[in-house]
Amino acid sequence: MRRPGPALRVGLLGVAVTLTGYALFAGWLGLHAQRYADARDRATQRIVGVVVEDGIGDEDDIRVRWTDAEDRTHLQRFPVYDTDRYRRGSSFPVAYAPGSAEAFPTDPDETATEDDLIVPIVLGSAAALLILGVWVWRGLRFRLTARRPGRPMTARVRYGRRRTAGPRAPRTTWLELTTPDGTRRLQRVMWHPILDETPADSPVTVHGSPRRPAVVVLPDGTRLVPLGRLGTGPAIGVVLDDEALRADLRDAFVLPVDTAVRPASAPWRRGALTAATGTALGVVAGFVLTGGSLVPAVAVALCAGALLTSTWALSAPQP
């Protein structure tokens, strides 16, 4: 059985990261949303509390004092939508379960706490579908373009670097394509190891229309997955090198026969580092933005880790 090429492996990785990240994110918030709903259903005792503080935080939450049937006083913070209605000293009806220190608004319109758990799941699904759609579109576009008539050109491999990469892969792979009449075009492609051995001015077959993504077929039949349109220059913020092949210090020195040469760093290591860094930054940002609340902080960490790793995979990483 033929093993999948590097472009397909990156695509499968990107899809797996997106699905796994969203599953963890939605599962974490969904679990707590269900627990919240179950606890609210058990809250059968009703009482009227008093707002003792308003305008808390960026969302203008309120703090309510309420007393249960056992004459125990509780202070609880509530996020509310109608911030003008619940001012300091106003009444705030709540419901609670006997023996519980957690109360719930009895107003059916005050669902801010539950919405804070459910709405991110919906928004996350939209983001996950968007990322998955990009991968599906890349694959479909590659298949359809490869079926179009081909025309002969010569290709020279160019490697570029992004001035500001962020979570994206810092290196990019380009083909400088030259038509028989001397016209030159640049096409960004997903990396393939055979490109490191492709000499300059190699004859290739190019499928696709001008100024559209082009599928380049190398002499051995390898088809390269295009990224972006066929153009006259690199993307903004990308600097191309001056050599056809990327430079390697091992090619610049004659090493002793018994010298152990470390292989090039696998791109997955950077992906793992991106995931770890995104999760760590998400933890910090989550606690800062949510005031130290565990549930939203973990959700932000899961979202950041999955989103940054998905962005890294979409940028077509290479060794």
Side-chain angles (χ1 to χ4, degrees):
M1 183 175 66
R2 186 178 180 182
R3 296 180 60 187
L8 179 57
R9 290 197 294 269
V10 171
L12 293 175
L13 174 65
V15 171
V17 167
T18 302
L19 292 176
T20 302
Y22 176 71
L24 293 174
F25 174 77
W28 172 259
L29 290 178
L31 175 64
H32 287 86
Q34 185 61 48
R35 288 180 176 177
Y36 179 85
D38 293 341
R40 184 184 56 194
D41 292 341
R42 293 192 298 267
T44 57
Q45 299 289 333
R46 294 176 178 267
I47 197 171
V48 177
V50 178
V51 178
V52 296
E53 188 178 359
D54 58 29
I56 303 173
D58 296 334
E59 302 298 329
D60 290 338
D61 295 348
I62 61 173
R63 184 168 282 109
V64 177
R65 179 189 297 115
W66 58 277
T67 304
D68 59 24
E70 298 178 1
D71 204 28
R72 291 179 300 186
T73 301
H74 305 271
L75 281 175
Q76 185 175 339
R77 179 171 173 171
F78 292 90
V80 292
Y81 287 126
D82 196 350
T83 55
D84 293 332
R85 176 182 176 185
Y86 300 111
R87 293 297 184 181
R88 184 175 181 179
S90 62
S91 301
F92 188 78
V94 298
Y96 68 96
S100 174
E102 183 181 14
F104 305 87
T106 59
D107 187 346
D109 294 330
E110 293 298 347
T111 59
T113 300
E114 188 174 17
D115 292 346
D116 286 344
L117 297 171
I118 296 177
V119 171
I121 297 177
V122 178
L123 297 178
S125 66
L129 288 175
L130 178 62
I131 295 173
L132 294 176
V134 173
W135 285 115
V136 172
W137 171 240
R138 281 185 182 179
L140 181 61
R141 183 181 63 185
F142 170 73
R143 292 289 184 180
L144 294 177
T145 305
R147 295 179 180 177
R148 297 180 66 89
R151 55 194 187 277
M153 292 187 183
T154 58
R156 179 188 180 201
V157 183
R158 305 290 299 273
Y159 290 94
R161 56 180 175 82
R162 292 186 172 95
R163 291 190 178 96
T164 55
R168 298 176 298 173
R171 298 182 62 84
T172 57
T173 304
W174 299 75
L175 290 179
E176 186 177 274
L177 303 172
T178 305
T179 62
D181 63 3
T183 302
R184 294 187 177 183
R185 293 289 186 268
L186 280 174
Q187 174 66 64
R188 185 185 168 211
V189 297
M190 295 188 72
W191 176 82
H192 194 286
I194 197 174
L195 293 174
D196 293 344
E197 304 172 0
T198 302
D201 300 326
S202 296
V204 297
T205 303
V206 179
H207 299 264
S209 303
R211 298 189 177 278
R212 302 286 295 178
V215 173
V216 180
V217 182
L218 300 180
D220 67 344
T222 300
R223 296 185 301 177
L224 302 176
V225 179
L227 299 172
R229 296 184 177 185
L230 188 66
T232 58
I236 298 176
V238 175
V239 179
L240 296 181
D241 62 4
D242 295 328
E243 300 295 332
L245 299 179
R246 58 178 177 175
D248 192 326
L249 290 179
R250 291 173 294 182
D251 299 330
F253 299 93
V254 177
L255 302 178
V257 178
D258 58 348
T259 301
V261 180
R262 296 180 60 185
S265 177
W268 322 120
R269 296 181 182 177
R270 183 174 179 85
L273 179 61
T274 301
T277 303
T279 303
L281 293 176
V283 170
V284 176
F287 276 103
V288 171
L289 296 175
T290 63
S293 180
L294 178 63
V295 174
V298 173
V300 172
L302 292 172
C303 178
L307 186 59
L308 291 184
T309 310
S310 297
T311 303
W312 168 82
L314 281 174
S315 66
Q318 63 186 61

